[in-house]
Amino acid sequence: VENYVNTAIDKYGCDLFTVAFGMNNAGLSAGKFVQYTEGIIKRVQTHAPETNIVMVSTMVPNPEATNGWYGNQDQFEVEMIDSADAYYDNGTSCSVACMTSLSKSVLEHKRFRDYTGNNINHPNDFMARIYAQVMFQTVFGYESN
């Protein structure tokens, strides 16, 4: 954060900060994961206190993976939502792009290998578009005519 993110914020400003990680943190508890996420946000807010925040929950890894990739990631989203609510209650615009629950919904209709690039934990172009749509809806909302 200090070497890259805050340097860019100081140079260009920051209206919206997105924090998205977690796939490789299978062994962390949801509470510890959110603690790390909030630490990143606080460090960014020292340079851009008025910035809006979007936390992106990770898609779930392959539930059939036996190599240790699947762990606690599916528990992070609920804790992130609670954290976003607390930020919002304290006057910071903060929301969660809920990729975890969405990826679980996709698994009800598609095979995991149909939306992954490596059949373990990376999205392919289809799922990357889903990420983009979820981000767009999270930031701008959705209206149906």
Side-chain angles (χ1 to χ4, degrees), residues 84-101:
D85 288 344
Y87 275 108
Y88 188 80
D89 290 344
N90 288 318
T92 298
S93 177
C94 186
S95 60
V96 179
C98 296
M99 283 303 302
T100 306
S101 53

Side-chain angles (χ1 to χ4, degrees), residues 23-24 58-65 67 69-70 99 103 106-107 110-131:
M23 178 59 74
N24 296 335
T58 186
M59 65 184 238
V60 293
N62 188 340
E64 297 175 8
N67 56 5
W69 285 104
Y70 202 95
M99 283 303 302
S103 67
V106 171
L107 275 174
K110 293 184 115 3
R111 297 171 299 186
F112 186 85
R113 68 180 181 206
D114 292 336
Y115 71 80
T116 182
N118 66 351
N119 202 34
I120 298 172
N121 64 342
H122 289 193
N124 64 12
D125 60 337
F126 169 79
M127 196 57 148
R129 285 191 294 267
I130 300 295
Y131 264 90

Side-chain angles (χ1 to χ4, degrees), residues 39-64:
I40 293 168
I41 292 169
K42 286 176 186 166
R43 288 168 32 211
V44 167
Q45 287 179 318
T46 62
H47 287 264
E50 300 297 318
T51 192
N52 301 292
I53 308 292
V54 175
M55 294 183 272
V56 182
S57 66
T58 186
M59 65 184 238
V60 293
N62 188 340
E64 297 175 8

Side-chain angles (χ1 to χ4, degrees), residues 22 25-30 33 58 60-61 68-77 100:
N25 299 101
L28 284 180
S29 69
F33 175 78
T58 186
V60 293
W69 285 104
Y70 202 95
N72 296 326
Q73 298 98 326
D74 66 339
Q75 299 168 23
F76 297 167
E77 185 175 276
T100 306

Side-chain angles (χ1 to χ4, degrees), residues 30-31 33-34 38 55 75-84:
F33 175 78
V34 168
E38 290 174 347
M55 294 183 272
Q75 299 168 23
F76 297 167
E77 185 175 276
V78 172
E79 293 283 333
M80 293 171 85
I81 292 168
D82 289 345
S83 176

Side-chain angles (χ1 to χ4, degrees), residues 12-33:
Y12 303 108
C14 183
D15 296 323
L16 175 67
F17 181 75
T18 302
V19 59
F21 71 102
M23 178 59 74
N24 296 335
N25 299 101
L28 284 180
S29 69
K32 184 60 92 172
F33 175 78

